[in-house]
Structures are given as structure tokens and as C-alpha cells.
Amino acid sequence: MRVVAYLDELDLPVAGVLADGRVITLAALVERAGLREELALLDVRGLLAEDEDLAETRAAVARAVRDGMRGVPLATLRLVAPLEPGKIVCVGSNYRSHVTEQGQPIPDHPLLFAKFSNAVVGDGAPVIRPATTQALDLEVELGVVIGKRARRVPVEAAMDHVAGYVSANDVSARDLQGAKPALAPGTRGDGQWLRAKGSDTFLPLGPCIVTADELGDPAALRLRGWHTPADGPDAGRELLVQDGATGDMIFSVAQLVAFISASITLEPGDLVITGTPSGVGVFREPPVFLVPGDLVRVEVEGIGSVTNPIVDADGAVPSGSPAARLLAGRDDKAGAG
Ligand code: ZN
């Protein structure tokens, strides 16, 4: 099952389910498939808390589809990030290829950090390059959505706590982060990662949550990242910059959930992003960073891709740039919907 979120008439996020490229709203499931009315008013996090493993929702969708119900066209809904996570626990240095490109040793336990909800945006929404950085970069990551509370769970039981997966972009300001190739001589960055990775809009998520039963083995997925520069010799061309496989993870999804839950209880609707493979801009030769006018896109196999325009701190982009075109198309769609 593929779960999305959209804004209702009151601009509140509610959950829907994708079927054949259309969205079946939970409200429609109440009327036509006997879904409990309380569930229809919930956002995805609330739904996960109320309907463990989404079994009730899944059954209602199956009944609805069997009865010939078709969803509403995607374009008529204002889709947003499929989850407003509770906690966002992030894992650094978790791909052999990414650790190797930095010349670092393989870590013997996961490196954890956090983002907050201010960072979350959906597909198509602007990613803001704040005035505090000149070295914005992408990181394609597999996002793990918690379904059932996980507290001190062993590795063998950890996957029972995973509801599904989402494509994520761990946008990072490399100069703030203190990455050497991004630093001007004599500067050091923050010495920690909170601003570098937690600034507003630094976590595009989407386009949907694919439930664990549908996605299959999370260690057998290709994940890719693209950069469309607004300027330079490749202006307007989408360049593949990251191309990795989740099988390259140092710590598996199960190991990460177990490790985190040993000290931090994970609740339904919490999110774990699991690290990035090689190919990020800062370790390219020479380094490549995202600037206003560019587009960035990430995709995890079987989930779908998330594209975001880069805008400056005031929301501006150069006219005619790839970002400007995407934003103009988005405005048209919003008007039509
Ligand atoms: Zn990351």
C-alpha cells in the first residue's frame, strides 16, 4: 500500500492511499468501505498510532477497490510530505562507499544525529539555501517509518516495528558541517551538525510511504540522486550524481532500529533516515554545490522520486532557471486544483 498526505479544506494534512495513480481518501473509505470514522480525520502519523500495521486501512482499501471504487485524480489534491514525523533520527556514515570517499574508517557503531519538523518538505516544495551557507549538498537516503512503538527491541524483532519507507533527501550545508573541501581557509564550521542538517526545508520526503509488505527487502534497493544545475556547461541538464545500493549499508535497518531503541523509544510516525551512498557534491573533484535556480532529485527504488527547487533565503530564484520553471508549473497546478 502507498500512503500519501494532502491538505484538506482547512489546510490540515490528512492521509490518503494511492491506487492506480489516483488517491482514495480516507473520508471516502468511511462512506463506502466501512472505515472507522475517527481514522479519516487523521494525518499519517495519527493513522499509524491508531491503526497498527495499517491493517484496518488496508482492509478497507481492498474492499473499496473490489467494489470498483476509483480514487480522485492526484492533480485535484494538494499533496504534501507523506509524514509529519514525530522524532527524526538520522544516521551518518552508514554506507561503505560514502565512508570510503571521505577516507574514514568503517565505524563500529551507528553515528546518530537529529533533525526537527521544521526541516520537512514534500515533493516540489522549495529547499531554501539560507544566507549562512554557500555549500548546500544533497544526500539520497532510505527513510524508515516506525509503525509500532519500539523500546529496547532486539535486532531479530526490529522489523516488526517498521510500517514502511519513504524517499528522503538529507540536505546538508557542508561549510557549517565542517567538511574540509567546503571550508574557506581559516574557517572551521560549527563543529556539530544541528544547523548544517537541521535548517528549515533540509528534509524533503516523499512522494509516498510504501508499506513494508509492499516494498520487500530494504537491503535490496537502488538509490539515486540527481542535480540539475542552472548554470555552467551542463545548465538545465539533469546529472546523475549518486547511484548506490542499500546493500552497501554498514548497519542494516533492523540493526539501526534496535540500536536506537536501546536508548530512545521510537513511536508510531517517527522517522529514521539511514545514511547516504557516495557521490555527494562536497567530495566531487572539484566540489559541486546546490545554488538557487538548481533542481535536486532523490529516488529510492520502489518508492518514487522527490524533486525540489533550490531557492535563496528570500525565496527567490533566477528567472528562466530550472527551479523557476518548476515553481511556475507548481503554481499553475495549485490554481487548477
Ligand atoms: Zn545523511
Side-chain angles (χ1 to χ4, degrees), residues 38-81:
E38 308 90 272
L39 298 186
L41 303 171
L42 298 171
D43 65 4
V44 175
R45 176 150 58 112
L47 185 67
L48 287 165
E50 280 297 310
D51 181 17
E52 187 179 290
D53 298 341
L54 299 175
E56 221 178 311
T57 306
R58 185 180 286 106
V61 171
R63 280 195 298 276
V65 170
R66 208 164 44 232
D67 292 349
M69 186 170 142
R70 298 186 69 214
V72 297
L74 274 173
T76 62
L77 296 172
R78 296 175 294 163
L79 290 187
V80 291

Side-chain angles (χ1 to χ4, degrees), residues 90-93 98 113 115 139-141 169-172 174 193 197 273-276:
C90 314
V91 183
S93 303
H98 182 54
F113 63 100
K115 301 203 189 212
E139 293 191 352
V140 58
E141 309 208 1
N169 188 351
D170 175 20
V171 175
S172 303
R174 300 302 186 193
W193 292 5
K197 286 171 172 278
I273 63 169
T274 54
T276 199

Side-chain angles (χ1 to χ4, degrees), residues 172-183:
S172 303
R174 300 302 186 193
D175 38 9
L176 299 180
Q177 189 182 351
K180 271 227 173 64
L183 290 170

